[in-house]
Amino acid sequence: DSPATRALGSALEGAVELLSGGDPPADGRPYEWQGRGERLRRAWERVWSGHLTRVYTVRLALCTAAASALSELHLIERSYWTTLTVALVLKPDFGSVFARAVQRALGTLAGTVIGTVVLVAVPYGRALLVPVAVFAALLPYGMQRNWGLMSAFQAPLVLLLVDLLTRGGPRLAEIRLVDTLAGCLIVLLLGYLPWPASWEAPVGPRFADAVSATADYLRHAFDPGHTGRAALRHRVYDALADLRTVFQRAMTEPAVVSRRVTTWMPAMTALERVADATAATVARTEHG
């Protein structure tokens, strides 16, 4: 909390903001220490960039609320498994939600069957540590392959670990299966089907929007009399964020789709460089 530390932190924050194309604060010294409220505001703006990001946030919140409602109504025994399934399947990495939900459900079905067989065949005690070690060793391999195989190894591992603590027996497999299927169903009904934009990855139209926004920004970026340059710059980076979101989701689709989408990568990179170079040049010309 020394003055030197605060000055250094403020200077670095101002340098990052300026090099990112932002404007220095109109009031106050360039190195004036920014309060916690200002830092939270900037962090919120970074998180809230991009239309698709906002839509994805709403979808995740809606599905999580539905899972929490099931918990409050006591319709499922281990409600945290349902909420965890929603969070994992609908995690905001813009992957294929449908594929993850289906693979998670099928993998958990297979895993609970395997876990039930192990719980019936292996007596409770130290002997359970052997299948636990086997499934734990197979889990990294499943994670590298696909969600279905990962769930097939993860489900019996979780069942055995919980059984070691609670001695729940084979009934744990039934609870795990019901809770996981409930989470997958919530994601499909509330987080996937009502949102047509999630059914496809329209990289072409999003790229056209980004090109149009970049052209408008470049057209007025060096006009001192234009009052909407900051808004144009934000529109550019919103469009680029949407483009990256759509591209990332398309890359998680089957190979017949993802291979075709990779052809957009050079053009996307070039467009981002144009936007960054324009914003940086505007900052340099305005401030010496």
Side-chain angles (χ1 to χ4, degrees):
D1 294 329
S2 66
T5 303
R6 293 197 298 269
L8 176 62
S10 181
L12 290 175
E13 187 176 8
V16 170
E17 181 71 16
L18 186 61
L19 292 176
S20 301
D23 297 324
D27 53 345
R29 294 171 296 147
Y31 302 128
E32 184 177 359
W33 174 252
Q34 300 293 336
R36 178 178 298 178
E38 179 67 16
R39 293 197 301 272
L40 290 176
R41 184 188 65 81
R42 292 185 179 182
W44 174 256
E45 288 180 352
R46 288 194 295 268
V47 172
W48 203 244
S49 63
H51 169 69
L52 293 182
T53 303
R54 293 189 287 269
V55 172
Y56 216 98
T57 302
V58 172
R59 293 166 59 192
L60 181 60
L62 183 63
C63 293
T64 305
S68 300
L70 290 180
S71 173
E72 293 297 326
L73 295 174
H74 303 288
L75 298 179
I76 46 182
E77 291 194 35
R78 295 180 178 266
S79 57
Y80 61 89
W81 276 345
T82 300
T83 306
L84 181 62
T85 298
V86 168
L88 290 175
V89 174
L90 201 59
K91 62 179 182 177
D93 65 351
F94 307 106
S96 178
V97 173
F98 180 81
R100 279 204 300 256
V102 173
Q103 291 179 10
R104 181 79 174 181
L106 296 178
T108 302
L109 176 61
T112 51
V113 172
I114 297 173
T116 302
V117 173
V118 173
L119 289 175
V120 172
V122 180
Y124 176 82
R126 296 181 180 179
L128 284 177
L129 296 177
V130 176
V132 165
V134 172
F135 292 128
L138 292 174
L139 188 58
Y141 171 75
M143 294 174 65
Q144 294 176 356
R145 302 297 297 177
N146 56 63
W147 270 72
L149 197 58
M150 181 196 73
S151 301
F153 296 143
Q154 185 186 57
L157 176 62
V158 172
L159 292 178
L160 295 178
L161 291 176
V162 174
D163 184 70
L164 284 173
L165 297 175
T166 64
R167 302 193 67 170
R171 174 160 168 72
L172 284 173
E174 177 186 350
I175 298 173
R176 172 74 177 189
L177 181 60
V178 171
D179 293 350
T180 301
L181 292 180
C184 294
L185 191 63
I186 288 173
V187 170
L188 290 177
L189 294 181
L190 297 180
Y192 182 76
L193 291 179
W195 310 88
S198 65
W199 305 347
E200 57 183 8
V203 178
R206 293 295 177 182
F207 182 79
D209 293 341
V211 170
S212 177
T214 304
D216 290 342
Y217 176 48
L218 184 58
R219 185 175 296 112
H220 302 289
F222 300 97
D223 181 8
H226 196 278
T227 58
R229 289 186 299 171
L232 290 174
R233 184 180 69 249
H234 288 302
R235 180 189 165 208
V236 169
Y237 285 103
D238 270 1
L240 289 173
D242 285 351
L243 177 59
R244 287 192 298 268
T245 298
V246 172
F247 181 82
Q248 291 172 5
R249 189 171 71 228
M251 290 301 296
T252 62
E253 298 295 342
V256 66
V257 176
S258 60
R259 279 199 303 266
R260 188 168 63 250
V261 171
T262 55
T263 58
W264 288 98
M265 176 60 77
M268 288 173 50
T269 303
L271 188 60
E272 289 177 346
R273 288 178 177 175
V274 169
D276 291 340
T278 303
T281 305
V282 170
R284 293 191 189 99
T285 55
E286 288 184 347
H287 307 100

